Amino acid sequence: MGTDYYKLLGITKDASEDDIKKAYKKCEEASQKFKQISEAFEVLSDKQKRAIYDQFGEEGLKGGSPSPGTGSGSNPFAGFSNGFPGGGTTFAFTSGMPGGGAAFSPSDPFKVYESFLKMGGFGSFGGFGGMPGASMFDENDDMTGGSMFSSSGMGGSGPRRTQTQFQFQSPQPPPKSNTPSEITRPLKLSLEELFNGTTKHMKVSRRKLDGITEDKVLEIAVQPGWKEGTKIRFPRGGNEAADGSSPDLVFVVEDKPHPRFTREGDDLVARVAISLVDALTNEGGAKKQLEHLDGRKIQVSVPMGIVNPGQETRLVGEGMPIRKKGVTGKGNLLVRWDVTFPDRLTAAQKEGVRRVLG
């Protein structure tokens, strides 16, 4: 396929025109930075150049050398011979080599870098003084976003390459930790606890980075009316990861099954059994007793007339507490009547039913 221009600029195929311009600008900045780094290395790794730079700075280094014999007041290199104090002639060099008679001119940055890599990043090479134990940048260092520098040869007497490419990419953010942001645990609560409120103590163990297991008892103040799915968060309550982070420990409310009630939002539902005879013959006044979640005994009137299976009696304000209205607001209690039919009828009973209902 040839060169991938998108990869070369460090952009995706859906990049806008503005994205392309920004990527190109980054490449330009990276190229300039690379040249500056190479120039700095070339100067500081050479004892002679470094000595001049340390005394006269960049302007003195690149200002050129006047003819021998010029006074030191106008010549920053006066008093140097071959780069060292005490000589009677002016020190001058070109392209980093002594004796050229001209101001310092930086070498091709790729030549500098190639020589550096060939020598393993240490020792003296090509006329540069050694810098034992130091390197300007490693072959795999990240530098700028998606930039690709390439060269197809260079002049001079130095080593020649036919096609060498160096790719430097911008520093990437450290990889995201594999530690999850939170760890969830169920908090199973009875309807009594959710109706009245309670305090729960949860013992948890947390493994620290030093290998020690830390035991804690967490206190959770359960508020009346909490619904299933309510979350209680303890920041950094999970095990410590290798990068020092710890996920939050989150408890999620779950309703425990109840023998008498089920919950539908803010309402409570109770199914109450009634015999077929009572369902067919109630003339009013019949009641059924139901124990509420707070222990109260509630008398529920059986509907007058014939009670159909699943028929509902609504008791307003006897449901679950509603948090947004405070503990004074409550849902409703819905009593749904379950009509129980006999398992069998005698022949006489069947005849009687036919006679009455037929």
Side-chain angles (χ1 to χ4, degrees):
M1 181 178 177
T3 303
D4 187 337
Y5 294 137
Y6 291 101
K7 186 175 181 181
L8 195 65
L9 288 178
I11 57 177
T12 59
K13 289 188 176 181
D14 59 354
S16 65
E17 185 176 348
D18 190 49
D19 293 334
I20 297 171
K21 290 179 180 178
K22 288 180 180 178
Y24 179 69
K25 184 177 180 181
K26 281 187 178 181
C27 292
E28 286 186 308
E29 293 172 352
S31 178
Q32 183 61 32
K33 186 68 174 178
F34 177 61
K35 292 177 182 178
Q36 291 174 344
I37 290 173
S38 297
E39 180 179 329
F41 178 70
E42 182 180 2
V43 172
L44 299 181
S45 61
D46 186 290
K47 293 181 180 178
Q48 297 173 349
K49 299 183 186 71
R50 184 174 180 178
I52 296 172
Y53 175 78
D54 287 345
Q55 185 166 355
F56 303 108
E58 182 183 5
E59 292 182 358
L61 184 68
K62 296 181 178 180
S65 62
S67 302
T70 306
S72 62
S74 60
N75 178 16
F77 301 125
F80 280 77
S81 176
N82 294 327
F84 294 96
T89 60
T90 303
F91 168 76
F93 51 87
T94 179
S95 298
M97 299 300 292
F104 165 69
S105 177
S107 300
D108 183 336
F110 291 101
K111 181 178 180 180
V112 176
Y113 184 61
E114 184 178 46
S115 300
F116 174 79
L117 294 180
K118 285 186 176 180
M119 297 302 295
F122 302 99
S124 300
F125 54 92
F128 303 129
M131 293 177 60
S135 61
M136 183 60 76
F137 48 81
D138 187 83
E139 192 172 9
N140 297 316
D141 275 352
D142 291 334
M143 299 204 50
T144 58
S147 307
M148 173 73 80
F149 302 105
S150 64
S151 177
S152 57
M154 64 185 80
S157 58
R160 186 177 184 86
R161 63 172 180 260
T162 57
Q163 188 174 5
T164 305
Q165 290 185 330
F166 303 99
Q167 183 171 2
F168 305 95
Q169 302 209 350
S170 60
Q172 299 296 318
K176 291 183 178 180
S177 171
N178 292 327
T179 306
S181 60
E182 64 180 38
I183 297 175
T184 59
R185 295 288 183 270
L187 178 62
K188 296 182 180 294
L189 299 172
S190 68
L191 286 181
E192 283 87 354
E193 291 172 324
L194 292 169
F195 184 87
N196 301 297
T198 187
T199 299
K200 303 290 287 186
H201 295 91
M202 312 294 292
K203 184 177 180 181
V204 298
S205 296
R206 175 175 177 264
R207 189 173 62 254
K208 302 182 70 175
L209 199 57
D210 56 10
I212 297 176
T213 299
E214 179 183 60
D215 294 327
K216 282 187 177 182
V217 177
L218 304 178
E219 183 176 283
I220 300 176
V222 178
Q223 301 300 309
W226 272 3
K227 293 182 179 180
E228 191 168 50
T230 299
K231 292 183 177 182
I232 306 93
R233 183 179 301 273
F234 291 89
R236 295 178 58 83
N239 295 333
E240 286 187 351
D243 60 0
S245 63
S246 297
D248 293 349
L249 179 59
V250 180
F251 291 94
V252 183
V253 172
E254 292 184 8
D255 294 349
K256 288 181 180 179
H258 197 273
R260 298 188 307 278
F261 298 98
T262 57
R263 183 177 184 177
E264 293 183 359
D266 295 321
D267 295 335
L268 284 172
V269 178
R271 305 195 74 90
V272 179
I274 185 174
S275 69
L276 178 60
V277 173
D278 289 339
L280 296 174
T281 62
N282 178 47
E283 295 182 357
K287 293 181 181 293
K288 293 288 185 178
Q289 181 174 281
L290 182 64
E291 183 178 348
H292 209 310
L293 293 172
D294 56 4
R296 289 179 294 126
K297 302 296 191 295
I298 296 178
Q299 300 297 324
V300 185
S301 297
V302 178
M304 291 184 62
I306 296 176
V307 180
N308 294 302
Q311 188 172 328
E312 187 176 281
T313 298
R314 182 182 299 264
L315 302 181
V316 177
E318 289 290 355
M320 293 294 292
I322 302 175
R323 289 296 303 160
K324 62 183 179 181
K325 296 181 180 178
V327 293
T328 56
K330 289 184 179 179
N332 301 319
L333 173 59
L334 309 178
V335 177
R336 292 174 183 162
W337 300 98
D338 284 338
V339 179
T340 57
F341 287 75
D343 294 331
R344 66 179 64 86
L345 293 174
T346 64
Q349 289 172 328
K350 291 178 182 178
E351 182 61 29
V353 171
R354 290 193 187 97
R355 187 171 57 252
V356 172
L357 301 179

